[in-house]
């Protein structure tokens, strides 16, 4: 190794190849998985990834498999799966004897959920569009069809409330 001039520091060759026993810092896991450090901590708190042991005054060090697990979680979230559903998928993935059919059922349920949300959004869009069509933009706010619709009627509470 060649020392830097004027210092006792030496050049050190960094091995970019990961060895199976290599442990990773939280920042490296986050970068490689494409998430933030706080996301890693959040997944730990939620039990989606295990919190690694650490020695006194040392960083927590994660296994390279943590990167794969966090990537799995991120991609499942990108497909619309909730954290609870992701936990379910992880359990199936890690379960001996589980089959692709187990995952397929969850994917079918997620598509049904997405379709229901799309239908609800289309209904909201039609309703808002109709209100916009009823508004010419010239009336005072108190007479605006959109504001009137949003104001609605107050709901009665107590013994006088209707059904």
């Amino acid at each position: 190794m060649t020392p830097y001039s004027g210092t006792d520091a030496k050049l050190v060759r960094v091995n970019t190849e990961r060895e199976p026993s290599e442990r990773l810092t939280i920042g490296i896991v986050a970068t490689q998985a494409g998430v933030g450090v706080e996301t890693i901590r959040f997944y730990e708190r939620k039990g989606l990834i295990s919190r690694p042991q650490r020695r006194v005054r040392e960083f927590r060090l994660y296994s390279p498999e943590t990167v794969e697990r966090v990537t799995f979680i991120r991609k499942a979230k990108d497909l619309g799966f909730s954290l609870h559903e992701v936990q379910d998928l992880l359990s199936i993935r890690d379960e001996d004897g589980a089959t692709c059919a187990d995952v397929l059922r969850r994917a079918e349920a997620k598509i049904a959920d997405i379709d229901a949300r799309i239908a609800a959004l289309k209904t909201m869009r039609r309703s808002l569009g109709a209100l916009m069509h009823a508004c010419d933009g010239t009336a005072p706010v108190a007479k605006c069809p959109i504001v009137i619709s949003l104001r609605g009627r107050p709901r009665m509470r107590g013994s006088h409330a209707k059904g």
Side-chain angles (χ1 to χ4, degrees):
M1 300 292 153
T2 307
Y4 288 110
S5 62
T7 69
D8 292 323
K10 294 184 179 180
L11 291 174
V12 178
R13 183 176 301 199
V14 176
N15 183 4
T16 56
E17 299 288 321
R18 283 200 320 223
E19 297 177 17
S21 63
E22 181 182 356
R23 307 306 265 172
L24 309 171
T25 64
I26 193 170
I28 292 172
V29 171
T31 299
Q32 290 183 1
V35 299
V37 169
E38 287 304 315
T39 300
I40 303 292
R41 291 183 180 126
F42 177 75
Y43 290 166
E44 283 179 3
R45 287 191 304 272
K46 293 296 183 182
L48 294 166
I49 60 174
S50 58
R51 183 172 290 177
Q53 297 294 323
R54 72 173 171 187
R55 296 182 189 138
V56 177
R57 296 189 186 122
E58 287 187 12
F59 293 112
R60 289 184 180 139
L61 296 176
Y62 298 81
S63 71
E65 292 77 28
T66 305
V67 174
E68 186 274 331
R69 190 169 179 95
V70 172
T71 301
F72 181 97
I73 296 166
R74 180 182 52 81
K75 288 183 175 185
K77 296 267 304 137
D78 288 348
L79 290 174
F81 288 98
S82 68
L83 286 180
H84 178 73
E85 292 166 331
V86 171
Q87 181 67 55
D88 188 39
L89 288 171
L90 287 166
S91 295
I92 292 169
R93 186 193 73 166
D94 297 340
E95 180 182 307
D96 288 338
T99 67
C100 194
D102 297 317
V103 177
L104 183 60
R105 281 191 292 279
R106 272 61 173 198
E108 289 168 342
K110 180 47 58 184
I111 285 177
D113 177 55
I114 290 168
D115 288 343
R117 284 193 269 159
I118 289 170
L121 287 169
K122 285 181 177 179
T123 299
M124 285 187 263
R125 189 181 194 294
R126 278 192 303 273
S127 297
L128 185 56
L131 289 170
M132 290 173 60
H133 184 71
C135 180
D136 67 8
T138 61
V141 171
K143 294 188 179 193
C144 174
I146 299 170
V147 171
I148 291 168
S149 172
L150 294 174
R151 190 172 43 211
R153 294 183 193 177
R155 294 192 175 163
M156 300 294 290
R157 295 185 184 219
S159 61
H160 300 291
K162 293 185 180 179

